[in-house]
Structure formats: structure tokens, C-alpha cells
Amino acid sequence: MKRLLDVIGDLRIAFWLLLAVAAIMWVGSLYAANNYALFNSLNGVRVQDWFASKGLTAIGSTWWIPGLFFAFTLLGVNTAACTARRVMALWPRRREMPAKRFAVLLSPSIIHLLFIGMLSGHLLSFAALTQERAPVSEGAVLDLAGTGEFTVKSVRHDFFDGTSLLADRIRQSTVEIAVMKGGVETTVPVKFLRSVSVNGALLQLDMEKKKKSGKPIVQNPADENCNKEHNYHYAKLLEETRPQLFIVATRDPGLFVLIPGFVLVILVMGWYFYQIGFGRDGKTQPNG
């Protein structure tokens, strides 16, 4: 077992795997740039479903995706083996050193384990994500991503005031929805950059600019903005220029792994580097 771990957990293998991951991601970015519409359709869709419906039909452009997953899997196995080797070598020495010293030496292994957990969180996000999107209109009854039915009570746009350089442009949009919590109907506001959680799903606002219809808006030549694209001028009195709002409901189990993982990695790494960088007298300590 030790010999197997020595081979699988070799740091040289980790180096080449990291290099392979970087190279595959770079190649993938070139394919994505040349076929944006195809890869943009992956957003909000489980990767296995997308690959079965669209990826296989364009395998010449999507071949790198399974390669990337395979490389990350090998990197996770390599990291696990490397961590096991280090812990197996360190654990018998735990009684020979102070507890704090042992904790410092164990910290890199803890970070490696957290890294593996975060890789698993990313896999969950790719493979178990549920996301649905629906246009917003007052009175609409929606049921998205298992949220249960909720009703759109009102849609309100707040505009910059007339003294602002952004006068008559939309500053914020608010969609008030009625949800059932504990058998009681509660009104909850959903705004841009202010999402809400409903029955385990995250509700966010999205928008699309409406296409031009009819004749273009006549603008005053004296207006310094008269040559700007009129779709950006969401005037209060011009309903046809206001964006179409959407509610996006996302149920992502990977977030419950990723966010705590990031926090713990930052805390453990901060504590580790502080301990190896400064002793009690403030002088630099050698890295053990």
C-alpha cells in the first residue's frame, strides 16, 4: 500500500496534471471563443444532459470537456494519495512534539483534503444543478426549480433623479413575490444583486433588452447623448424601451460544499502561514 501511494501521490505527477489541466482549459477557451452560442447554452444545464443533447453532435469542439473532467479526477486521486502519505508519516510522531507543532505540520494535509472536497463541490454543481428561468409579469404564478408556487405581486422600476447624469435611467428593479412560509403568505422583494432563498432554491433577477420595434426614437440634436444607442435610454414614458425582467431559480447543492470549503481553506492557510512565519518573539521561523 505504501509503495502504491508513493507512486500515485508523486509530486511530479501532480505537476504534470496541473500543467495538463491548464493546457486543456486554454484549448477549451479557444473553442468556446469560436463557438460562443454552443458553450453559452451550457449555463444552467447539467453537464451530462448538455453533452448528451448537444456536446456529442459537436464532438469536434467539445472533446476537451471530458478530458478536463478526467484530468481533475486524476488530480483529486493524486492529492488524496499525497495527503495519505504525509499523514501516515506524520501521525506516529504526534507524541514526540507539542500539540501546536503537530497541528502546524498537519495543516497542509487538511488544506489538501479541503481541496478535494471543493473539487467534489464543483462536480456537484456541474452534475446536479437545477436552474429554471421565467419572464416576470404582475399576477403571474410560477413554480421554478422546486420552489413551490409563488405569485408575482408587483414589478417596480426606480429611476435616477433628474439632477443625475443618468437621469431617467433605471437604477434598480424590484419584483415582489408572495411565498408561503409556515402556512402564512409572506411578501418577499427580489432585486438585482439581492437574491432570496425560497425552499432551498436561490431566486435572482435577470433581464433582456427589448428589441427595437417600429421607428427609432427621435432625439434632440442639442442633447449630448443623442447619438447613443436608444436602448440604453430607459425613459420613464417609453415602456417599449424597458427591459424584460426574468426570475431565475437555481438549486445548486455544490454551493453548500464550495462556500464553507473556501472559508475553511482561507482560515487554515492564514493560521498556518502566520505560525510558520512568526515565532513568539516575532522573528521568522523555519518552515517545518
Side-chain angles (χ1 to χ4, degrees), residues 126-196:
F126 276 111
L129 173 76
T130 301
Q131 187 174 88
E132 296 182 12
R133 182 172 180 260
V136 171
S137 60
E138 290 188 3
V141 179
L142 304 174
D143 185 352
L144 304 174
T147 57
E149 288 190 352
F150 61 89
T151 305
V152 178
K153 289 292 188 180
S154 65
V155 179
R156 186 179 73 253
H157 298 292
D158 297 323
F159 295 84
F160 289 95
D161 59 41
T163 61
S164 170
L165 293 176
L166 297 174
D168 294 338
R169 276 65 163 184
I170 294 177
R171 179 169 58 88
Q172 179 61 282
S173 298
T174 303
V175 176
E176 291 190 339
I177 61 173
V179 299
M180 298 299 294
K181 291 186 176 181
V184 179
E185 184 177 274
T186 305
T187 301
V188 179
V190 186
K191 303 180 180 182
F192 283 103
L193 301 181
R194 298 180 187 177
S195 56
V196 298

Side-chain angles (χ1 to χ4, degrees), residues 84-283:
R85 286 174 59 203
R86 182 178 176 87
V87 172
M88 288 171 60
L90 185 61
W91 189 255
R93 300 166 49 198
R94 66 189 185 280
R95 302 185 186 280
E96 302 173 6
M97 62 184 76
K100 185 176 180 180
R101 177 68 173 168
F102 176 74
V104 170
L105 295 178
L106 190 63
S107 294
S109 299
I110 296 174
I111 294 171
H112 288 163
L113 292 174
L114 291 172
F115 171 73
I116 296 172
M118 291 166 65
L119 282 180
S120 302
H122 281 294
L123 180 60
L124 272 175
S125 292
F126 276 111
L129 173 76
T130 301
Q131 187 174 88
E132 296 182 12
R133 182 172 180 260
V136 171
S137 60
E138 290 188 3
V141 179
L142 304 174
D143 185 352
L144 304 174
T147 57
E149 288 190 352
F150 61 89
T151 305
V152 178
K153 289 292 188 180
S154 65
V155 179
R156 186 179 73 253
H157 298 292
D158 297 323
F159 295 84
F160 289 95
D161 59 41
T163 61
S164 170
L165 293 176
L166 297 174
D168 294 338
R169 276 65 163 184
I170 294 177
R171 179 169 58 88
Q172 179 61 282
S173 298
T174 303
V175 176
E176 291 190 339
I177 61 173
V179 299
M180 298 299 294
K181 291 186 176 181
V184 179
E185 184 177 274
T186 305
T187 301
V188 179
V190 186
K191 303 180 180 182
F192 283 103
L193 301 181
R194 298 180 187 177
S195 56
V196 298
S197 179
V198 176
N199 294 330
L202 195 66
L203 297 186
Q204 299 168 291
L205 284 189
D206 194 9
M207 62 163 279
E208 286 183 4
K209 290 182 293 184
K210 293 182 179 179
K211 296 181 179 179
K212 298 178 184 178
S213 59
K215 296 181 180 180
I217 299 173
V218 178
Q219 299 182 25
N220 184 354
D223 182 359
E224 63 178 3
N225 294 321
C226 71
N227 294 321
K228 301 292 185 180
E229 170 57 49
H230 77 262
N231 277 347
Y232 290 97
H233 292 226
Y234 298 138
K236 293 181 181 179
L237 301 179
L238 297 173
E239 181 66 31
E240 66 272 16
T241 65
R242 296 183 188 177
Q244 172 64 57
L245 295 182
F246 292 83
I247 283 186
V248 180
T250 305
R251 191 177 296 275
D252 185 359
L255 282 179
F256 297 99
V257 178
L258 286 170
I259 294 179
F262 273 118
V263 172
L264 289 174
V265 164
I266 292 171
L267 292 176
V268 175
M269 288 186 68
W271 181 82
Y272 171 74
F273 284 113
Y274 176 79
Q275 293 299 327
I276 67 172
F278 300 96
R280 294 178 181 177
D281 56 359
K283 296 181 180 179

